[in-house]
Amino acid sequence: EKQKLKRIKTTVAATLDGTMVELYANIELPSDVEQVKENGATGIGLFRSEFLFLNRSTLPDEDEQFEAYRTVARKMRGLPVTIRTFDLGADKNLDSAKRVAANPALGLRAIRLSLAEPQMFNTQLRAILRASRYGQIRILVPMLSSVAEITQTLHLIENAKQSLRQEKISFDESIQIGGMVEIPAAALSLDVFMRKLDFLSIGTNDLIQYTLAIDRADDSVAHLYDSLHPAVLRLVAHIIRSANRTGIPVAVCGEIAGDIIFTRLLLGFGLRLFSMHPAQLLTVKREVLRSSLPDIMPFTRKILKSDDPDKIHALLTKLNS
Ligand code: PEP
Ligand code: MG
């Protein structure tokens, strides 16, 4: 089975009707790149950089981060490497964190923490920018919820660029900056996100948590964490369609991107860029290779119209058979 899958490692991901799809990988550490290559990913859609900060007592300094980002950029040989700025707080806490928030998922995490700790953020931004001349690096900002956060973030990135210019340190001047859409407020105010950012990536893990008010880390409500909830499907479809209409690249990098139950549905929503754990890549590719957009579309429309979970499940089973 595994052997068979390996045969499609270099096969271009396209549906039966010839629609091209990009399959990127999610990584946590530079050492994951081996697995990315083994499974034929055409880019890294999510480098969860916060893993460089975990399980240690000191923060990684600029040079250490630079080395890590450069290693990944070099190993990917010009393929896109999307580095998410640290998403610390919530479920991924620093050992040195002073307080544990009563409700960490709604607390000072991700970009909120970055904006509250501008020096720590600047260190990371400089490291990413310095590494950007060794490959095709893109910056991805987690947990954006408002235009003010976007403006502040872009301002801090510009400051970091300016300081490098003054020090005559080169970097990719046209580095792309994208935002994660993982808070309902972001999904419902996409226009401003699309005006200010170069690309979007849908973080369905958090988007589901915040849409359904289900703590993704709480086992007692895990049975209510429903990726197929009509509200979730409509929100995800809305984001993909809006981005496609505007011509802004959009990916899904949450767990559903690597789950073949969702492959055809997401293709039907218009998704052409999936980013997932490298181990899932070839299985998803096989699913793409045996799918046909004209066959998928009628199901997609019916699924989006339905607010009956049983009907949605039945339609999806039919779509996937
Ligand atoms: C997500 O929220 O879907 C996501 C990809 O990011 P993380 O799982 O790291 O929060
Ligand atoms: Mg997330």
Side-chain angles (χ1 to χ4, degrees), residues 32-247:
D32 295 336
V33 177
E34 311 308 327
Q35 215 194 342
V36 171
K37 303 228 120 178
E38 274 166 34
N39 291 287
T42 49
I44 289 172
L46 175 64
F47 178 175
R48 290 182 163 102
S49 73
E50 60 273 12
F51 281 86
L52 299 172
F53 294 70
L54 300 179
N55 305 315
R56 52 188 291 164
S57 52
T58 58
L59 296 174
D61 66 11
E62 183 181 317
D63 282 339
E64 185 183 340
Q65 289 189 59
F66 164 68
E67 293 286 347
Y69 306 144
R70 183 177 62 176
T71 300
V72 176
R74 277 186 168 154
K75 284 190 180 158
M76 290 303 290
R77 298 177 175 274
L79 293 174
V81 174
T82 314
I83 302 177
R84 176 171 74 184
T85 60
F86 57 78
D87 183 354
L88 293 164
D91 52 327
K92 301 152 193 138
N93 233 317
L94 285 178
D95 288 355
S96 59
K98 295 158 221 120
R99 297 176 289 125
V100 173
N103 208 336
L106 303 182
L108 193 67
R109 67 170 281 202
I111 190 57
R112 302 167 180 179
L113 181 63
S114 300
L115 295 176
E117 300 281 350
Q119 251 175 3
M120 187 176 158
F121 194 33
N122 184 56
T123 299
Q124 177 168 47
L125 292 173
R126 283 178 53 100
I128 296 174
L129 287 166
R130 281 173 57 199
S132 67
R133 68 190 194 90
Y134 298 93
Q136 193 192 331
I137 287 182
R138 318 192 301 165
I139 298 174
L140 178 60
V141 185
M143 292 283 293
L144 289 167
S145 68
S146 70
V147 61
E149 284 171 345
I150 301 177
T151 309
Q152 285 177 59
T153 303
L154 294 178
H155 180 73
L156 292 177
I157 295 173
E158 193 44 53
N159 282 352
K161 285 182 170 180
Q162 196 52 36
S163 70
L164 290 174
R165 284 185 201 112
Q166 271 158 7
E167 294 163 42
K168 305 239 176 310
I169 298 173
S170 67
F171 59 92
D172 175 5
E173 284 280 352
S174 59
I175 191 165
Q176 303 271 292
I177 302 163
M180 301 233 1
V181 182
E182 51 187 344
I183 297 181
L188 297 170
S189 48
L190 283 176
D191 285 350
V192 62
F193 278 66
M194 295 191 293
R195 268 200 304 278
K196 299 199 173 264
L197 299 165
D198 301 310
F199 65 94
L200 302 177
S201 191
I202 309 175
T204 46
N205 304 339
D206 278 310
L207 187 62
I208 295 165
Q209 151 167 277
Y210 296 124
T211 302
L212 303 179
I214 299 300
D215 185 343
R216 63 192 261 199
D218 184 345
D219 289 341
S220 68
V221 284
H223 62 291
L224 297 173
Y225 186 94
D226 180 10
S227 317
L228 286 169
H229 190 294
V232 169
L233 297 183
R234 287 173 190 182
L235 215 42
V236 171
H238 164 72
I239 302 163
I240 295 167
R241 287 167 167 182
S242 303
N244 286 347
R245 225 181 290 127
T246 312

Side-chain angles (χ1 to χ4, degrees), residues 270-281:
L271 190 72
R272 300 294 177 258
L273 174 48
F274 296 63
S275 193
M276 68 202 81
H277 191 285
Q280 295 159 326
L281 209 129

